[in-house]
């Protein structure tokens, strides 16, 4: 029996019976797959995207964006206001993420217990799982000498202003500091789901189909019984159908994919909760021009953070996380304001640009709905309070850039607001900070099938099992009742690890 | 010059749902543009069959000759150069690249992008006072049309412009000839990082 089969090579349909089927093999799905395989149950992982190897990662944006990202990197909220970057392929978004690792702040976990009825998920309850992930993925502090030009400027700005900041932690081993993380690592230095967890799952007997898109969760209204879907070819076209019968179904399709699948499958939802509560952790950037080349595209892209404007928990008044952002030419061109010759003149400053980003620890509750063919459609209308936070964050980015020595600071808005001094920055109207006027993006979608013990307010119980459909579990970024305010991968891996004993119990039930 | 005699898709083929490379639901899109879009869809057959030059070289994969002409015109303005050391969008082959990109898109995304192209060609000029197709306007007037979209009072149009801009720059800055002017030294594979 082959443990890994590429669906694109299938020559016919498939029908199988297993104990557990995992849908989507990103951070959460891969962890569930490994834990279930290690528990000795028969488990099959199904991933809609392909199986990619470091040899394919050629560091070209035009080829890697279509290969590694949903919708070729062009996924947007339904109103086209926010670009939402998410991955596809065995490893999911962990293939192209920038490897930062932070735990869920304990104030957030306390808020979940008090306000959202989440039980058994305090910092102490989760410690074992966080520690296991830390060891699995070799999470360590980024070495001081690996801080690149862009991050060095953020560090300089933070220290000049006397603000709070620090060096971040990551999951890389043998990093060559090439700077191409968001296009996949050609040097196989990322300790991600594809490199660590999926092979470990297969060593323990787990099976995987790539290029296998699940279209429906099979159920009888009270119990999940399996999934049905189709294998896809290189171009994503359906080829042969498959049907997998299973005692439990584990959703790992991400905060957008899992809810869309549950909705398209008519999973019972008497309180209309499925898909609601989507958080995006949306952000935008300020770009500073420096006299000396910054070469922000070289070296580890993100290694330093500013937390001056970040607080957690109920009633937090400062809700922005500031860190560096950098892209290669195509990403930079999409972000810089305007078009035509003027835009090109800005692009010529590429090597002299430092870019800082402000991400809002959002309270806006968006919604995932199942669009045409079950595709996730993301509705998200930013609240005024979040808009104000973004304004605070972008002004802070501007101050940091000027404090670090920028000669000019600009924002990616239609009229390209530009300032050269603190006084001008303070006087600048922040009215341009609104959807469709300012370029915004999001890389950390969360929520949409939230945890909690009250079926009226949550989709899955604190065990990860669906309130209405027994045997259906969620193990990905959908679980979180609020934004984390920090990068989510460590928490997604840890929650999937933490909830896996309940999955095993359900199989034995 | 030969006019297009390539087979065109039926007009109904573009009556789609979302705007690529981002996505816009059919419901949202139709709601936002209402009757204007329906008018555009009605005019598609007319526009597609007349006066567009068939592009030289290999057969197109996804775009019709008219769509190819619209993409070429948009690309030449969005990626207009500011100096002689940068190649033009035509030299880089942006429209050819977009043709391949669209061919790889799934159905709904593809339909949305094609619908957006028709919007730029037929309706966007009227929004800023031109009674002509986009492809027939002067470069300066085309810039005015695109600037009108970028700063439109309709938020969705501003979003659609951003999606279009992203797609064109993907086709332009992918070419290594554009990197020199930026000082970008490209992929490091095969070199010491
Ligand atoms: C550019 C970028 C940088 C990032 N950097 C960081 C960082 O530094 N630190 C951090 O903590 N986080 C980072 N993230 C976010 C992090 O990678 C994600 O939050 C995390 O991977 C999400 O895990 P997940 O399991 O929820 O889903 P994903 O990892 O997104 O995986 C979901 C998988 O499910 C598959 N799928 C979906 N639907 C189906 C279906 N119906 N059938 C079969 N398969 C399906 C998808 O193809 C995908 O492969 C970054 C993200 C991006 C885009
Ligand atoms: S910076 Fe490190 S992890 Fe990122 S792509 Fe380069 S070698 Fe890989």
């Amino acid at each position: 029996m082959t443990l890994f089969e590429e669906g694109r090579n299938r020559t016919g349909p498939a029908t199988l019976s297993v104990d557990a089927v995992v849908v989507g093999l990103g951070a959460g799905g891969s962890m569930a797959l490994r834990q279930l395989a290690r528990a000795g149950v028969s488990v099959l992982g199904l991933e809609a995207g392909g199986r990619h190897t470091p040899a394919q990662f050629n560091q070209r944006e035009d080829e890697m964006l279509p290969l590694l990202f949903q919708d070729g990197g062009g996924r947007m909220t339904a109103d086209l206001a926010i670009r939402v970057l998410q991955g596809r392929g065995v490893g999911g978004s962990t293939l192209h993420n920038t490897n930062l690792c932070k735990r869920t702040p304990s104030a957030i976990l306390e808020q979940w217990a008090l306000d959202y009825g989440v039980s058994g998920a305090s910092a102490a309850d989760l410690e074992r799982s966080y520690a296991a992930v830390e060891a699995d993925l070799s999470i360590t502090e980024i070495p001081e000498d690996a801080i690149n030009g862009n991050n060095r400027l953020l560090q300089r700005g933070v220290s000049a202003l006397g603000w709070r900041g620090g060096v971040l932690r990551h999951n890389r081993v043998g990093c060559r500091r090439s700077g191409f993380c968001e296009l996949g690592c050609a040097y196989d230095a990322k300790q991600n789901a594809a490199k660590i967890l999926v092979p470990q799952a297969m060593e323990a007997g787990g099976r995987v189909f790539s290029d296998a898109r699940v279209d429906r969760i099979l159920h009888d209204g009270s119990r999940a019984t399996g999934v049905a879907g189709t294998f896809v070819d290189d171009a994503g076209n359906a080829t042969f159908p498959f049907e997998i019968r299973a005692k439990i179904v584990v959703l790992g399709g991400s905060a957008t994919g899992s809810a869309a699948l549950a909705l398209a499958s008519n999973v019972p939802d008497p309180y209309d909760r499925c898909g609601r509560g989507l958080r995006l952790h949306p952000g935008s950037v300020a770009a500073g021009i420096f006299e000396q080349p910054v070469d922000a595209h070289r070296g580890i892209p993100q290694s330093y953070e500013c937390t001056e404007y970040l607080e957690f928990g109920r009633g937090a008044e400062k809700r922005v996380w500031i860190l560096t952002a950098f892209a290669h030419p195509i990403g930079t061109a999409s972000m810089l304001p305007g078009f035509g010759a003027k835009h090109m003149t800005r692009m010529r400053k590429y090597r002299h640009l430092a870019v800082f980003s402000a991400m809002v620890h959002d309270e806006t509750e968006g919604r995932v709905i199942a669009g045409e063919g079950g595709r996730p459609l993301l509705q998200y209308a930013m609240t005024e309070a979040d808009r104000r936070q973004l304004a605070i964050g972008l002004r802070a980015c501007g101050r940091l850039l000027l404090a670090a020595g920028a000669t000019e600071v600009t924002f990616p808005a239609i009229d390209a607001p530009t300032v050269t001094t603190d006084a001008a920055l303070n006087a600048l109207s922040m009215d341009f900070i609104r959807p469709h006027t300012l370029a915004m993006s999001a890389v950390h979608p969360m929520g949409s099938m939230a945890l909690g013990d009250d079926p009226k307010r949550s989709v899955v119980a604190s065990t990860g099992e669906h309130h209405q459909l027994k045997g259906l579990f969620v193990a990905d970024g959908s679980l979180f009742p609020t934004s984390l305010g920090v990068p989510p991968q460590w928490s997604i891996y840890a929650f999937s690890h933490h909830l896996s004993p309940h999955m095993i119990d359900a199989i034995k039930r | 010059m030969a006019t297009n005699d390539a087979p065109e898709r039926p007009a109904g083929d573009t009556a789609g749902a979302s705007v690529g490379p981002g996505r816009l639901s059919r419901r949202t899109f139709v709601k936002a543009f209402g009757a204007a879009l329906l008018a555009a869809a009605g005019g598609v057959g007319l526009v597609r069959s007349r006066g567009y030059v068939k592009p030289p070289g290999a057969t197109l994969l996804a775009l019709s000759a008219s769509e190819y002409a619209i993409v070429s015109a948009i690309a030449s303005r969005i990626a207009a150069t500011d100096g002689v050391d940068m190649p033009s969008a035509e030299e880089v082959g942006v429209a050819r690249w977009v043709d391949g990109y669209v061919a790889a898109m799934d159905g709904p995304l593809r339909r949305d992008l094609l619908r957006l192209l028709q919007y730029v060609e037929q309706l966007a000029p009227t929004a800023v006072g031109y009674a002509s197709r986009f492809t027939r306007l002067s470069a300066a007037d085309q810039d005015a049309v695109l600037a009108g979209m970028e700063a439109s009072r309709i938020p969705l149009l501003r979003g659609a412009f951003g999606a279009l801009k992203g797609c064109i720059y993907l086709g332009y800055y992918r070419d290594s000839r554009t990197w020199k002017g930026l000082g970008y030294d490209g992929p490091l594979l095969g070199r010491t990082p």
Side-chain angles (χ1 to χ4, degrees):
Chain A
M1 186 176 66
T2 342
L3 291 179
F4 196 109
E5 196 176 330
E6 289 187 275
R8 63 187 57 199
N9 298 330
R10 284 293 300 192
T11 51
T15 312
L16 281 175
S17 265
V18 289
D19 288 331
V21 62
V22 179
V23 181
L25 295 179
S30 299
M31 176 58 87
L33 181 79
R34 189 204 56 184
Q35 292 301 95
L36 289 164
R38 283 188 172 173
V41 304
S42 71
V43 56
L44 172 69
L46 299 170
E47 167 54 49
R51 176 193 213 176
H52 309 303
T53 61
Q56 287 171 278
F57 303 146
N58 65 5
Q59 306 182 336
R60 290 190 58 96
E61 287 171 278
D62 56 321
E63 293 179 27
M64 294 302 102
L65 290 173
L67 185 75
L68 296 177
F69 287 80
Q70 299 285 356
D71 298 344
R75 176 168 282 181
M76 313 260 312
T77 49
D79 64 355
L80 299 182
I82 305 176
R83 186 172 177 214
V84 182
L85 289 162
Q86 289 192 279
R88 62 193 296 271
V90 175
S93 304
T94 75
L95 286 171
H96 62 247
N97 76 16
T98 42
N99 298 82
L100 301 179
C101 297
K102 289 193 86 165
R103 291 175 185 230
T104 300
S106 46
I108 298 270
L109 296 172
E110 283 156 23
Q111 189 190 0
W112 290 357
L114 290 171
D115 297 348
Y116 294 87
V118 176
S119 55
S122 67
D125 295 324
L126 288 163
E127 179 51 36
R128 200 179 66 85
S129 294
Y130 271 107
V133 176
E134 186 169 18
D136 281 334
L137 306 188
S138 312
I139 298 172
T140 53
E141 182 153 316
I142 298 177
E144 176 70 25
D145 70 347
I147 298 177
N148 78 349
N150 200 19
N151 286 274
R152 201 56 84 193
L153 290 170
L154 177 58
Q155 194 177 31
R156 191 194 291 172
V158 163
S159 102
L161 295 171
W163 286 1
R164 224 168 32 193
V167 176
L168 287 153
R169 306 186 80 204
H170 69 164
N171 58 324
R172 295 178 178 91
V173 170
C175 171
R176 308 270 294 270
R177 303 176 188 179
S178 70
F180 286 97
C181 302
E182 92 281 12
L183 305 179
C185 180
Y187 312 98
D188 209 11
K190 295 180 170 203
Q191 305 302 98
N192 59 22
K195 179 179 174 187
I196 307 292
L197 299 178
V198 173
Q200 287 178 348
M202 292 197 301
E203 270 164 36
R207 292 181 68 185
V208 174
F209 284 162
S210 64
D211 317 290
R213 189 189 69 218
V214 174
D215 296 325
R216 231 160 3 107
I217 299 163
L218 305 174
H219 62 89
D220 61 10
S222 64
R223 164 161 284 284
T225 55
V227 296
T230 174
F231 294 110
V232 293
D233 63 16
D234 280 351
N237 300 312
T239 55
F240 299 99
F242 61 76
E243 186 170 311
I244 315 295
R245 293 278 159 188
K247 293 178 188 153
I248 66 162
V249 174
V250 181
L251 299 184
S254 87
T256 63
S258 292
L261 179 61
L263 289 164
S265 309
N266 293 321
V267 168
D269 184 23
Y271 304 106
D272 190 20
R273 291 309 309 158
C274 185
R276 294 189 184 272
L278 174 74
R279 307 306 204 286
L280 290 180
H281 210 195
S284 188
V285 299
I289 295 170
F290 287 78
E291 264 161 26
Q292 298 302 315
V294 178
D295 286 331
H297 59 290
R298 289 283 176 254
I300 291 181
Q302 294 167 322
S303 52
Y304 195 85
E305 64 177 345
C306 168
T307 50
E308 182 69 16
Y309 287 93
L310 189 57
E311 291 170 354
F312 301 103
R314 207 192 267 172
E317 282 177 8
K318 298 176 173 180
R319 293 189 283 110
V320 259
W321 186 46
I322 295 174
L323 78 168
T324 56
F326 211 76
H328 291 91
I330 291 168
T332 307
S334 310
M335 183 203 72
L336 285 180
F339 65 92
K342 266 194 193 159
H343 180 278
M344 189 173 281
T345 304
R346 290 194 184 103
M347 281 296 285
R348 287 183 190 275
K349 309 217 169 101
Y350 180 75
R351 291 191 59 206
H352 293 256
L353 282 178
V355 185
F356 297 170
S357 136
M359 278 189 209
V360 180
H361 171 31
D362 50 341
E363 57 173 40
T364 302
E365 295 197 28
R367 187 175 181 190
V368 177
I369 54 177
E372 208 177 332
R375 295 165 57 93
L377 254 184
L378 315 181
Q379 296 180 330
Y380 188 92
M382 189 181 263
T383 62
E384 184 54 26
D386 281 354
R387 196 197 72 79
R388 275 199 303 273
Q389 290 292 326
L390 186 55
I392 290 169
L394 286 185
R395 209 187 285 278
C397 288
R399 284 193 66 193
L400 286 160
L401 284 161
L402 290 169
T407 55
E408 187 181 305
V409 170
T410 188
F411 300 92
I414 289 165
D415 294 329
T418 301
V419 295
T420 54
T421 62
D422 263 330
L425 179 63
N426 288 337
L428 184 70
S429 157
M430 287 287 174
D431 274 358
F432 64 87
I433 298 183
R434 51 186 68 254
H436 298 104
T437 298
L438 178 74
M440 288 197 247
S441 61
V443 294
H444 300 155
M446 324 175 210
S448 77
M449 295 186 82
L451 276 174
D453 290 333
D454 179 358
K456 292 190 178 140
R457 292 192 298 152
S458 55
V459 178
V460 298
S462 297
T463 56
E465 189 167 15
H466 198 273
H467 283 302
Q468 268 72 37
L469 213 56
K470 294 299 149 209
L472 179 66
F473 283 82
V474 177
D476 58 23
S478 319
L479 288 167
F480 304 144
T482 67
S483 155
L484 303 184
V486 297
Q489 67 165 352
W490 195 352
S491 303
I492 295 171
Y493 285 121
F495 266 86
S496 178
H497 183 277
H498 175 69
L499 299 177
S500 59
H502 299 293
M503 301 171 198
I504 295 158
D505 285 350
I507 292 169
K508 293 183 184 151
R509 232 176 3 221
Chain B
M1 269 192 291
T3 53
N4 172 44
D5 57 2
E8 298 272 5
R9 278 182 304 280
D13 198 17
T14 60
S18 56
V19 173
R23 181 165 208 268
L24 169 64
S25 78
R26 171 184 223 120
R27 219 173 306 130
T28 323
F29 196 67
V30 171
K31 206 166 123 198
F33 295 102
L37 265 184
L38 296 175
V44 166
L46 195 81
V47 167
R48 288 177 148 206
S49 57
R50 289 203 208 133
Y52 291 95
V53 176
K54 189 180 172 187
T59 316
L60 292 170
L61 300 173
L63 300 178
S64 66
S66 59
E67 288 153 355
Y68 182 89
I70 300 165
V71 172
S72 302
I74 295 170
S76 70
R77 298 321 308 150
I78 287 188
T81 63
D82 68 345
V84 289
D85 61 335
M86 291 292 264
S88 68
E90 195 183 344
E91 284 165 322
V92 163
V94 174
R96 275 280 164 200
W97 185 85
V98 171
D99 180 44
Y101 185 65
V102 173
M105 277 178 175
D106 68 11
L109 281 177
R110 181 195 292 209
R111 288 199 308 270
D112 298 343
L113 181 66
L114 299 183
R115 172 56 72 91
L116 176 59
L117 295 180
Q118 294 300 337
Y119 174 82
V120 174
E121 174 70 339
Q122 299 176 74
L123 293 179
T126 61
V128 285
Y130 299 112
S132 169
R133 296 179 195 174
F134 181 82
T135 47
R136 291 185 175 174
L137 293 172
S138 68
D141 291 347
Q142 287 176 339
D143 283 351
V145 172
L146 293 173
M149 257 182 98
E150 185 188 30
S152 166
R153 278 185 299 117
I154 302 170
L156 205 57
L157 266 185
R158 301 202 295 272
F161 176 82
L164 198 56
K165 170 177 155 179
C167 185
I168 298 297
Y169 283 138
L170 187 49
Y172 182 73
Y173 283 111
R174 72 176 226 293
D175 191 297
S176 55
R177 285 171 292 173
T178 66
W179 298 344
K180 210 165 136 236
L182 314 183
Y184 173 61
D185 52 352
L188 286 172
L189 277 174
R191 293 187 277 153
T192 312

